[in-house]
Amino acid sequence: MYRHVPLSIICGNASRDLAEKICAYLGLTLTSADVFEFSNENIFVKINETVREHDVFVVQSFSSPVNRHIMELFILLDTLKRASAGRITAVIPYFAYGRTDKKDQPRVPITARLLADLITTAGANRVLTMDLHAGQIEGFFSIPVDHLSAFSTLIQYFMEKHLDDVVVVAPDFGFAKKARNFAERLGAPLAFIEKRRPGNDMRSEVLSVIGDIRHRAAIIIDDEIDTAGSVTNAAWLLYECGVQEIYACCTHAVFSGPAVERLRTSPLHEIVVTDTIALPPEKRLPNLTVLSVAPLFAEAIQRIHSGESVGALFR
């Protein structure tokens, strides 16, 4: 039914550049909206064009400032619902609070589930996202979720570099399955970093590396780089083990706290990320490469709008 109604794309302040790239790919103009914060920190939204019965896609990453951008999405969804939009899809390139996906200690929340409930309550009819930290988060939603992956974009980039004798390195055992799939696509062997997190402060301790890495080019793969502790500790361990050419790649460049300085002083040859999170100039390191996932999101949006298979994008 939605292929016969207008397609509209709107965004909050977190993802304007990505939303504009998606619109350019689809030959659309970004729907005009005012989204700003008053001096009392209350957020105000006004849609400047009609969206009545439109198939609307709201692009908003949960990037820093995370809680403000989450609240912007809630208010955008509510505004669209009250403006009689036909169907509303929340396009969330980066879904924050992904690590809070289970009760692994007494008296702690499952914030990822809470967010899923709030997104639905605010007015979303479906969700389009990318590389969730935990796949089970899809099941927290009572509405359809289309879960994209940027790994095909990252793999294509490294294939075109024609690196010799490559090994893919998983930063921990929890990421082993995704790293194995990445390695198989590249036709490369897999190695693992053994690490542990002693507390709740996000610090990790690297213990050892398992696998044949000497005299190879190493690619450390993860879904996100947050404080960069894990990836830089892994890079230093690989360097001390004799690996001379070390790459790091991920979908989400969170780059919080000491991340930029850690990456700047690390032995990493290149850091490859995507534009699910908009990076300010001060976080764009000389050895940073940013790949755009706008074509992936644009194709998925077009397929959702026309009732085609999104899964076919990854066959």
Side-chain angles (χ1 to χ4, degrees), residues 1-250:
M1 61 178 289
Y2 292 101
R3 73 185 70 186
H4 302 300
V5 302
L7 168 61
S8 295
I9 297 176
I10 195 169
C11 71
N13 290 313
S15 302
R16 178 164 294 274
D17 287 348
L18 180 59
E20 288 176 347
K21 290 176 185 175
I22 292 170
C23 285
Y25 187 94
L26 293 172
L28 299 173
T29 300
L30 191 65
T31 299
S32 174
D34 297 323
V35 184
F36 62 88
E37 190 176 81
F38 291 114
S39 58
N40 63 0
E41 298 183 12
N42 289 189
I43 295 168
F44 179 78
V45 169
K46 183 178 185 297
I47 313 296
N48 297 318
E49 304 174 33
T50 183
V51 291
R52 183 175 293 272
E53 297 304 322
H54 287 208
D55 191 13
V56 184
F57 292 79
V58 189
V59 185
Q60 177 82 331
S61 264
F62 292 165
S63 55
S64 181
V66 174
N67 298 322
R68 183 197 297 173
H69 286 156
I70 289 172
M71 198 65 197
E72 281 186 10
L73 177 64
F74 292 160
I75 298 173
L76 276 163
L77 294 173
D78 183 75
T79 305
L80 290 164
K81 180 171 63 175
R82 295 175 189 277
S84 301
R87 179 176 64 178
I88 307 167
T89 301
V91 181
I92 310 171
Y94 170 64
F95 190 91
Y97 289 101
R99 288 191 175 95
T100 321
D101 63 319
K102 57 186 176 295
K103 285 196 68 172
D104 53 0
Q105 303 174 54
R107 298 174 299 281
V108 296
I110 305 179
T111 315
R113 171 59 192 267
L114 173 62
L115 273 182
D117 289 342
L118 292 173
I119 289 165
T120 306
T121 300
N125 301 117
R126 63 187 305 128
V127 169
L128 175 61
T129 189
M130 177 168 277
D131 286 325
L132 293 168
H133 185 71
Q136 70 195 48
I137 295 171
E138 282 188 62
F140 293 169
F141 288 89
S142 57
I143 55 178
V145 177
D146 290 296
H147 188 190
L148 305 181
S149 177
F151 279 17
S152 58
T153 302
L154 295 168
I155 288 166
Q156 184 63 34
Y157 177 80
F158 281 104
M159 288 179 69
E160 291 173 358
K161 289 182 76 71
H162 302 293
L163 298 174
D164 294 326
D165 205 8
V166 175
V167 59
V168 173
V169 180
D172 54 45
F173 292 116
F175 204 73
K177 183 177 180 181
K178 290 182 180 179
R180 182 178 292 112
N181 293 338
F182 193 95
E184 287 177 356
R185 291 278 302 277
L186 280 179
L190 182 64
F192 302 90
I193 299 292
E194 183 186 7
K195 74 174 185 181
R196 65 181 178 184
R197 293 190 185 274
N200 292 326
D201 58 0
M202 304 301 290
R203 289 183 299 109
S204 64
E205 296 177 0
V206 169
L207 303 177
S208 62
V209 58
I210 302 169
D212 183 11
I213 57 170
R214 286 185 178 274
H215 311 299
R216 295 176 182 266
I219 303 172
I220 306 168
I221 173 71
D222 209 343
D223 62 325
E224 68 179 62
I225 296 176
D226 188 358
T227 61
S230 295
V231 69
T232 54
N233 286 341
W236 280 114
L237 179 61
L238 294 170
Y239 182 76
E240 290 165 3
C241 291
V243 180
Q244 297 299 313
E245 197 171 358
I246 308 168
Y247 298 82
C249 70
C250 73

Side-chain angles (χ1 to χ4, degrees), residues 225-228 232 254-266 271 279-287:
I225 296 176
D226 188 358
T227 61
T232 54
V254 180
F255 289 7
S256 66
V260 172
E261 186 57 30
R262 284 174 172 173
L263 293 168
R264 181 180 288 114
T265 57
S266 75
I271 306 150
L279 288 175
E282 62 270 19
K283 292 187 178 182
R284 290 182 173 268
L285 296 162
N287 60 340

